Amino acid sequence: MGEKTHAHPGAAGGVPAAGHPSAVRNVVLVGHSGSGKTTLVEALALTAGALNRAGRVEDGATVSDHDEIERRRHRSVHLSAVPVAWDGCKVNLLDTPGYADFVGELRAGLRAADAALFVVSAAQEAESVAATTRAVWEECALVGMPRAIVVTHLDTARTSFEEMTRICAETYRGNDPDAVLPLYLPVLGAEGPDGHAPLTGLTGLLTQRILDHSSGEGAELPPAPDQGAPLKEARDRLIEGIIAESEDESLMDRYLDGGGDGIDMATLVADLERAVARGVFFPVLAAAPAAEGARQGIGTVELLELITRGFPTPLERTPPAVTTPSGGPRTAPACDPEGPLLAEVVKTSSDPYAGRVSLVRVFSGTLRPDDSVHLCGHGLESAGQEPRPGHEAEVRVTALTSPFGRQQHPVDRCVAGDLVCVARLGEAETGDTLSASGDPVLIEPWSTPDPLLPTAVRARGKADEDKLSHALARLVAEDPTLRLEQNPDTHQVVLWCLGEAHQEAALDRLRSRYGVQVDAEPHRVALRETFGGRGAGRGRHVKQSGGHGQFAICEIEVDPLPAGSGIEFVDKVVGGSVPRQFIPSVEKGVRAQAARGLSAGHPLVDVRVTLLDGKAHSVDSSDAAFQTAGALALREAAADARIQLLEPVCEVTALVPDDYVGPVMSDLSGRRGRVVGTEQRQGGRTLVRAEVPETEIGRYALDLRSLTHGTGRFDRTHARFEAMPPQLADRIRAEQGDGSPGA
């Protein structure tokens, strides 16, 4: 690949729309928080001429000026797209958050991209590299997405490019480490008193020339004499790696006959580019931002060359699977600007001036302003909620813009393979599909993890209460990894998040973007009550106060039933002591009281209520009177019986590295959990199965991450309700002495 040493001319602050998919490259940057992804994007934009020497566009913004929350918290929390021009190509750089809580933004970036750059900091521990990016690497491998690795922060004391390359090879390609090899070796300057040695240049392994930046200007130099042996060893290994992945079987014979010099440079580079584009060879490069006064960063030209020449065009990508809106089979159209429209909203955000803004990836056809398109979205299925139906609408496309920092640059079209922003696209949500009017299709959604950290939110005042539901709906529409629950048992509005940082960012958006002041309160688990033994009660509702009176008496017996039985009502009245027309009234009153709860305000379940006897009055008895009598009878039965509190028990499956199986099992046991089994999984991981009370795992998403240093993940499903230990039940009753619902 070419080794240019000067900044490529480009139009600062804007990139023209691509005219054809072959001139587009979509690249997502993946890496641990703090690895330097955003800094690398700025360095690439500076090298391509999209930023000025100060790293800013015309209005003074930088590519990282995306959100007030990001600036305040000093971390990326959103997917952002930064287009740059290089060698006649439009390169869309998709900067993703590195923190695990924002994996939804990362998944959106993977859907929008055709290749991935894994950014690894040499200053971070190997464990961090493995924990945060191995799963993403495996996801890319499943779909054959091409990947490259960029090592940053090499100027930090006690760092080693060779050691980080070895770690990446073992972590990502343990079965084939020779597919992860450097294209360049870093050249470090003199070590300072603080132990730091600056990155001053790169040595190209194929050209065997040094690209020196120590003076601030790129210069090509021959390697130093003491570099001969290490350079030859690394070069031979690289050439062997290229040949091993080559589709040209004659290369190996030529290499064996004459070594690396037996194959011309153009052939090696062409085979390298093909291997990278096919996703079978994964080059490693080093990069550093521009030093003060320098025109470009170190390694940025080489990286842009790799992207434009080695990474595939959208034409080479298999389009995502599609169906009809009703779920019927359809064939996805090819990436053709003249084909039928197929596009997807990969991100939704709110702008105080432009309103809702949708970042759209066009897979087929061409999107133009004033086009009428069909907007189609998936229904939402969440645990404990009714599925939300899918939505469809015909919408008109407004102006199209290309994003860059805070700026939006108008464009006149967006061809297949490119990315574009569309404002006020109806009620578009993240994951929605745009297709041609009259021929609607629906792209199958990308997978997102289930949010497992709950936080209850309450509006601070009446004015906030009026705005809260609308703001929460907008929030969930923007971020599919958030889940909203209105719990009828605890009467709480619960926002389910992926982690603490995700939770904080969501609450920040409610306050700063939507102007809703909210308070977070502890999440309460919905409990149940049942009878611990047989009980009996008599409900007497008799009132005489002028006019029509009220008269109803009923006698019931209550028996406990097996778990999951619900409420069973049995009529054993004989002799007509309770008239036939009022027996359903008694049942209605019993069920209403059961729903309200008895001892601590939790719904009553798993009992059989038998109506044995009663009395009625020919004039004063009524439906309402017998409903009241039924409720009173159930309350009297509870007063003399032992009422048990039931808590929900979840089936928990935790996938953790083998080294953490013991601590995880011990921790689950300490949460009153029962470990029911383990299963060995690939990659040195174990699946731990356990049954744990839900009251014990409210913050397990955080605790498991801490326990396994970010390498563990878990899922949970409701299993059943079980009796709560008496001492814990007594404590909860004491806390809720007013009988209000919740736990």
Side-chain angles (χ1 to χ4, degrees):
M1 297 184 185
E3 293 166 353
K4 300 184 179 181
T5 59
H6 299 289
H8 187 82
V15 176
H20 192 270
S22 60
V24 177
R25 304 292 185 275
N26 297 307
V27 183
V28 61
L29 281 79
V30 177
H32 190 275
S33 182
S35 61
K37 298 183 297 300
T38 301
T39 302
L40 180 60
V41 169
E42 291 183 346
L44 293 171
L46 174 64
T47 298
L51 294 177
N52 59 30
R53 293 285 186 88
R56 298 185 176 274
V57 290
E58 288 99 327
D59 70 344
T62 69
V63 297
S64 59
D65 283 344
H66 180 74
D67 190 283
E68 176 62 30
I69 297 171
E70 292 181 320
R71 292 194 292 274
R72 188 164 61 249
R73 295 190 176 274
H74 304 290
R75 72 158 67 105
S76 295
V77 301
H78 298 291
L79 167 71
S80 61
V82 177
V84 300
W86 187 263
D87 275 357
C89 292
K90 179 185 179 184
V91 179
N92 291 312
L93 300 169
L94 296 160
D95 186 12
T96 64
Y99 204 67
D101 283 8
F102 305 104
V103 67
E105 301 286 321
L106 170 60
R107 298 282 175 85
L110 290 173
R111 172 58 69 93
D114 304 310
L117 281 179
F118 281 72
V119 183
V120 177
S121 170
Q124 291 176 332
E125 296 180 4
E127 190 175 66
S128 298
V129 175
T132 57
T133 55
R134 179 161 53 184
V136 183
W137 184 278
E138 292 170 355
E139 285 184 38
C140 294
L142 286 174
V143 297
M145 179 178 282
R147 285 144 282 164
I149 299 168
V150 184
V151 181
T152 60
H153 299 157
L154 283 168
D155 58 348
T156 306
R158 294 180 296 279
T159 57
S160 167
F161 178 79
E162 291 76 12
E163 178 65 11
M164 188 52 65
T165 300
R166 182 192 65 77
I167 290 170
C168 290
E170 292 180 356
T171 301
Y172 302 142
R173 297 284 293 187
N175 58 339
D176 186 14
D178 287 337
V180 179
L181 294 170
L183 297 184
Y184 304 85
L185 295 181
V187 178
L188 301 178
E191 188 174 295
D194 56 0
H196 294 191
L199 181 66
T200 61
L202 301 173
T203 302
L205 292 181
L206 294 182
T207 61
Q208 302 183 78
R209 304 287 289 176
I210 293 178
L211 305 170
D212 181 64
H213 292 261
S214 57
S215 65
E217 297 288 334
E220 190 171 308
L221 305 173
D226 60 349
Q227 290 183 303
L231 182 61
K232 183 179 186 308
E233 180 183 347
R235 185 175 191 269
D236 289 346
R237 192 178 176 198
L238 172 62
I239 293 174
E240 290 171 6
I242 296 171
I243 293 173
E245 303 298 342
S246 173
E247 296 175 315
D248 184 353
E249 296 180 359
S250 68
L251 282 185
M252 182 58 72
D253 295 333
R254 292 159 61 185
Y255 177 73
L256 293 175
D257 289 341
D261 296 331
I263 307 172
D264 63 276
M265 178 73 67
T267 300
L268 281 174
V269 170
D271 266 75
L272 169 63
E273 292 170 355
R274 283 192 290 269
V276 171
R278 285 168 32 232
V280 296
F281 186 82
F282 314 100
V284 184
L285 297 89
E292 187 174 350
R295 293 199 299 176
Q296 65 189 42
I298 299 174
T300 53
V301 169
E302 292 72 25
L303 195 49
L304 287 167
E305 287 290 307
L306 171 69
I307 290 171
T308 54
R309 296 176 57 180
F311 281 168
T313 72
L315 295 167
E316 300 166 71
R317 175 176 180 172
T318 302
V322 301
T323 66
T324 64
S326 60
R330 282 293 298 267
T331 300
C335 182
D336 180 2
E338 304 302 322
L341 178 67
L342 179 66
E344 185 174 27
V345 178
V346 294
K347 177 175 174 55
T348 309
S349 58
S350 294
D351 184 272
Y353 305 105
R356 187 177 297 195
V357 178
S358 303
L359 178 64
V360 175
R361 161 75 194 249
V362 179
F363 292 100
S364 173
T366 299
L367 194 63
R368 296 181 175 85
D370 296 323
D371 281 353
S372 289
V373 300
H374 191 87
L375 175 71
C376 193
H378 297 272
L380 177 68
E381 295 189 17
S382 298
Q385 298 184 75
E386 289 293 323
R388 190 178 72 200
H391 50 276
E392 293 187 67
E394 293 288 323
V395 297
R396 188 178 69 84
V397 176
T398 58
L400 303 181
T401 58
S402 179
F404 200 100
R406 287 197 300 261
Q407 292 186 335
Q408 295 285 330
H409 301 282
V411 294
D412 60 357
R413 69 191 184 284
C414 180
V415 300
D418 204 357
L419 298 170
V420 73
C421 283
V422 187
R424 298 185 179 91
L425 192 58
E427 293 300 314
E429 300 178 0
T430 301
D432 283 2
T433 302
L434 301 178
S435 54
S437 294
D439 186 24
V441 295
L442 184 61
I443 296 176
E444 291 188 1
W446 63 82
S447 63
T448 57
D450 192 22
L452 295 171
L453 180 66
T455 182
V457 294
R458 184 182 68 247
R460 189 167 295 173
K462 177 61 178 173
D464 298 310
E465 197 171 307
D466 295 338
K467 296 186 292 185
L468 180 58
S469 60
H470 176 70
L472 286 171
R474 293 284 296 271
L475 202 63
V476 173
E478 292 175 12
D479 186 354
T481 59
L482 286 172
R483 177 161 61 86
L484 184 63
E485 176 191 3
Q486 308 246 5
N487 193 303
D489 295 323
T490 64
H491 306 290
Q492 286 187 315
V493 176
V494 182
L495 201 58
W496 290 82
C497 309
L498 292 175
E500 207 163 27
H502 192 210
Q503 181 186 88
E504 291 172 358
L507 295 179
D508 257 357
R509 286 203 292 271
L510 283 176
R511 294 166 184 142
S512 60
R513 185 178 300 171
Y514 299 113
V516 182
Q517 295 304 310
V518 296
D519 294 312
E521 57 184 18
H523 171 248
R524 298 195 298 266
V525 174
L527 305 181
R528 296 290 185 267
E529 299 174 351
T530 193
F531 275 60
R534 173 171 289 187
R538 184 172 189 265
R540 185 176 186 274
H541 183 61
V542 179
K543 288 188 178 181
Q544 298 292 336
S545 56
H548 263 307
Q550 298 181 49
F551 188 97
I553 298 175
C554 62
E555 296 179 6
I556 64 169
E557 192 173 73
V558 184
D559 295 286
L561 292 177
S565 300
I567 302 289
E568 183 180 324
F569 186 83
V570 178
D571 168 25
K572 287 191 176 181
V573 173
V574 294
S577 58
V578 178
R580 296 281 82 185
Q581 69 269 27
F582 294 133
I583 290 176
S585 303
V586 177
E587 179 178 0
K588 188 174 181 181
V590 166
R591 291 188 180 276
Q593 183 62 55
R596 291 192 295 269
L598 297 169
S599 70
H602 305 293
L604 179 71
V605 295
D606 302 335
V607 293
R608 178 189 297 116
V609 179
T610 305
L611 178 60
L612 300 173
D613 200 359
K615 292 182 181 180
H617 189 277
S618 59
V619 176
D620 293 339
S621 291
S622 65
D623 169 68
F626 272 99
Q627 285 190 44
T628 303
L632 290 171
L634 186 61
R635 283 157 58 182
E636 183 177 293
D640 295 330
R642 179 169 54 89
I643 300 299
Q644 285 185 333
L645 278 187
L646 303 178
E647 60 182 341
V649 174
C650 293
E651 291 181 357
V652 173
T653 55
L655 185 64
V656 300
D658 293 343
D659 293 345
Y660 299 109
V661 171
V664 167
M665 292 173 65
S666 177
D667 178 71
L668 289 171
S669 298
R671 297 171 186 269
R672 299 190 287 123
R674 294 184 294 271
V675 176
V676 296
T678 60
E679 297 176 19
Q680 201 65 35
R681 294 296 174 92
Q682 291 182 343
R685 287 175 289 182
T686 298
L687 189 72
V688 180
R689 298 184 182 276
E691 294 179 344
V692 192
E694 187 177 336
T695 53
E696 301 286 346
I697 55 173
R699 295 178 63 82
Y700 192 58
L702 307 180
D703 297 336
L704 180 66
R705 184 179 297 171
S706 174
L707 193 64
T708 62
H709 298 276
T711 59
R713 58 185 177 85
F714 82 106
D715 293 302
R716 56 180 251 188
T717 55
H718 175 76
R720 61 188 173 276
F721 281 89
E722 283 187 359
M724 183 177 282
Q727 66 275 16
L728 184 56
D730 290 341
R731 192 184 76 198
I732 288 177
R733 287 193 183 98
E735 292 172 354
Q736 300 178 336
D738 60 350
S740 61

